[in-house]
Amino acid sequence: MGSGCLKVTKYFLFLFNLLFLILGAVILGFGIWILADKTSFIAVLQMSSPSLKTGAYILIGVGALTMLMGFLGCLGAVNEIRCLLGLYFTCLMVILITQVAAGLVIYFQKETLKEELSRIVGSLIENYDPSNDDERNLQDAWDYVQTQISCCGWAGAKDWESNKILINKSMTEYPCSCSNSSKDFQVDTGFCNLDVPVNGTATYADWPVHEQGCMDSVEKWLKDNLGVILGVCTGVAVIELLGMILSISLCKNIHSEDYTKVPKS
């Protein structure tokens, strides 16, 4: 390879590593956001499921590793250091294999994840208590989800019939965050009273709430954004493959260039 092609390869690899630095920062920020977020559906999962916390720490670790890898790649490309380029290639290969393995696990375990999510939300609804300050953040997060998505319960409003407080009050109250009534728009947490309970008792069918469960809305969001998610994952994989090809090519040709510089006897 000529010196001109070698320079082009070197600067292309440098550009790819700048992208990896940015990508690593995004992944790192996403992991921190999952741990810090207290006002969305992520908070419900994060506070209820240890696996999501573990996933957030993994994202932080992967983000930091990706940034370090990008830095090493930039350094190796600009200064033509073969050992750093070899290390960069190895790290890229390990990350790519890990991503493929993680994608396969998520795909084949999606039903298990769905069941776990249903169990988490079901337990939250059953034990929902506005006076319980220990669970306030978790409950506020779920109220936020129901208000923003305009849904009620996981499978539907009937889920709230398992709530202990509502059972004790004969269903004459309902979750305010589920309300589809304009008079409740200013109240999005706790329980609201029914205007005219029949015979002092009621069912979820008497509540002025949204009929759709949040499960359908979450699944719809995932389906609507599946193309974007797959596109991003594919784009990252392509960048990684190109980075691997460029790094091994540059590493090989730096070695060849070194031999051409040896004076003939």
Side-chain angles (χ1 to χ4, degrees), residues 204-225:
Y204 79 94
D206 300 314
W207 298 343
V209 298
H210 299 287
E211 296 181 3
Q212 184 183 25
C214 297
M215 176 179 64
D216 295 333
S217 299
V218 171
E219 289 183 347
K220 183 178 183 299
W221 181 88
L222 288 174
K223 289 178 180 177
D224 290 344
N225 293 274

Side-chain angles (χ1 to χ4, degrees), residues 224-235:
D224 290 344
N225 293 274
L226 185 60
V228 176
I229 295 171
L230 289 176
V232 170
C233 293
T234 302

Side-chain angles (χ1 to χ4, degrees), residues 29 32 38 58 60 64-67 80 98 107 119 127-128 136 143 151 156 184 189 198 200 205 207 222 263:
I32 294 173
K38 302 299 181 185
I58 291 174
I60 291 173
L65 178 62
T66 304
M67 291 182 70
E80 300 182 4
T98 303
Y107 178 79
R119 178 187 60 78
N127 298 293
Y128 184 97
R136 178 62 57 82
D143 283 328
C151 58
D184 294 325
T189 60
V198 180
W207 298 343
L222 288 174

Side-chain angles (χ1 to χ4, degrees), residues 79-91:
N79 296 300
E80 300 182 4
I81 304 174
R82 294 188 67 221
C83 63
L84 286 182
L85 291 172
L87 179 62
Y88 172 76
F89 173 85
T90 304
C91 288

Side-chain angles (χ1 to χ4, degrees), residues 20 22-33 56 58-64 66 99 236:
F20 271 110
I22 297 171
L23 177 64
V26 171
I27 295 174
L28 180 67
F30 186 62
I32 294 173
W33 171 68
I58 291 174
L59 284 176
I60 291 173
V62 169
T66 304
Q99 286 174 341
V236 170

